Amino acid sequence: MIILGLTGSIGMGKSTTAKMFADEGVPVHDADATVHALYAGRAAPLIEKAFPGTVIDGVVDRTKLGKRVVGDPDAMKRLETIVHPLVREEEIAFLEKARAENRPVVVLDIPLLYETGGDNRVDYVVVVTAPAEVQRQRVMSRPGMTRERFEALLAKQTPDAEKRRRADFLVDTSLGLEAARAKVGQIAGVLMARDRQKEALDENTLPL
């Protein structure tokens, strides 16, 4: 089974691209969605214990939690030691299920793929990209977004140029939805073909 990492900076269209892979029949594991689910599930009591008052009715209040950890490296590290292992467990369960179903290709949608070393556990990486001005316009149109906040978010992410340099595949979302969809279909087709070729090779090189 080929594991494809999907990443991209804020405002590049990564979530839309992930849905396109799902539409192609490729199972997608969304790290952000997993965190949201954990905040309403088994991570909540652990976070409440570490950060009292941040859980309301069994669900982590992200605003309250943000006020406790943003700008405090030690607090952020404490939160990460709680959440990251749980996300990894969910990812492993996703991969095991996909293997049991004989899926040829799966996608791990990880926003901070390069920043967290996630590229070391995937076979190929797709970077979703767009020109800087397009990215800026998209992000600045979001409710409550400010230039300072946008720049702070960018500062935490590997630059787009570096991501593109390290990528195996690129999806440029500035070219329109149909172009992006066609590119996703092409990538999925190439990887499914590679998986079939690998399977044939493995069968032909069995020890006598």
Side-chain angles (χ1 to χ4, degrees), residues 28-69:
V28 177
H29 181 265
D30 185 332
D32 274 352
T34 299
V35 171
H36 278 276
L38 288 168
Y39 277 12
R42 59 194 183 119
L46 301 175
I47 292 173
E48 175 63 20
K49 182 177 180 180
F51 305 98
T54 59
V55 174
I56 308 298
D57 296 328
V59 178
V60 174
D61 185 311
R62 297 174 72 91
T63 300
K64 291 181 181 294
L65 181 62
K67 290 178 180 178
R68 298 284 292 275
V69 302

Side-chain angles (χ1 to χ4, degrees), residues 1-173:
M1 184 176 74
I2 292 174
I3 302 174
L4 181 63
L6 177 68
T7 194
S9 300
I10 183 172
M12 293 301 196
K14 181 180 61 61
S15 296
T16 299
T17 304
K19 186 178 183 305
M20 290 177 181
F21 274 104
D23 291 342
E24 290 287 332
V26 180
V28 177
H29 181 265
D30 185 332
D32 274 352
T34 299
V35 171
H36 278 276
L38 288 168
Y39 277 12
R42 59 194 183 119
L46 301 175
I47 292 173
E48 175 63 20
K49 182 177 180 180
F51 305 98
T54 59
V55 174
I56 308 298
D57 296 328
V59 178
V60 174
D61 185 311
R62 297 174 72 91
T63 300
K64 291 181 181 294
L65 181 62
K67 290 178 180 178
R68 298 284 292 275
V69 302
V70 173
D72 185 337
D74 290 338
M76 183 63 76
K77 185 66 176 177
R78 198 155 69 248
L79 176 63
E80 290 174 350
T81 60
I82 295 170
V83 176
H84 285 182
L86 297 178
V87 174
R88 185 78 175 108
E89 286 178 16
E90 296 289 334
E91 179 186 297
I92 291 170
F94 165 83
L95 293 173
E96 289 177 347
K97 181 175 183 291
R99 286 194 179 96
E101 295 173 348
N102 293 316
R103 299 283 191 166
V105 181
V106 296
V107 167
L108 298 183
D109 178 352
I110 307 176
L112 299 177
L113 180 80
Y114 288 120
E115 294 83 348
T116 60
D119 54 314
N120 292 322
R121 61 180 192 271
V122 301
D123 299 306
Y124 302 98
V125 174
V126 173
V127 166
V128 184
T129 186
E133 185 53 35
V134 173
Q135 177 192 27
R136 179 176 295 275
Q137 289 174 359
R138 289 173 178 172
V139 177
M140 292 306 297
S141 66
R142 297 180 180 182
M145 183 58 65
T146 64
R147 185 179 66 182
E148 291 76 16
R149 186 181 175 199
F150 175 45
E151 291 176 353
L153 289 168
L154 283 182
K156 295 178 181 178
Q157 299 179 341
T158 299
D160 180 59
E162 175 67 9
K163 285 181 175 141
R164 285 189 279 110
R165 186 187 68 79
R166 297 170 65 180
D168 297 294
F169 303 98
L170 295 175
V171 176
D172 187 341
T173 59

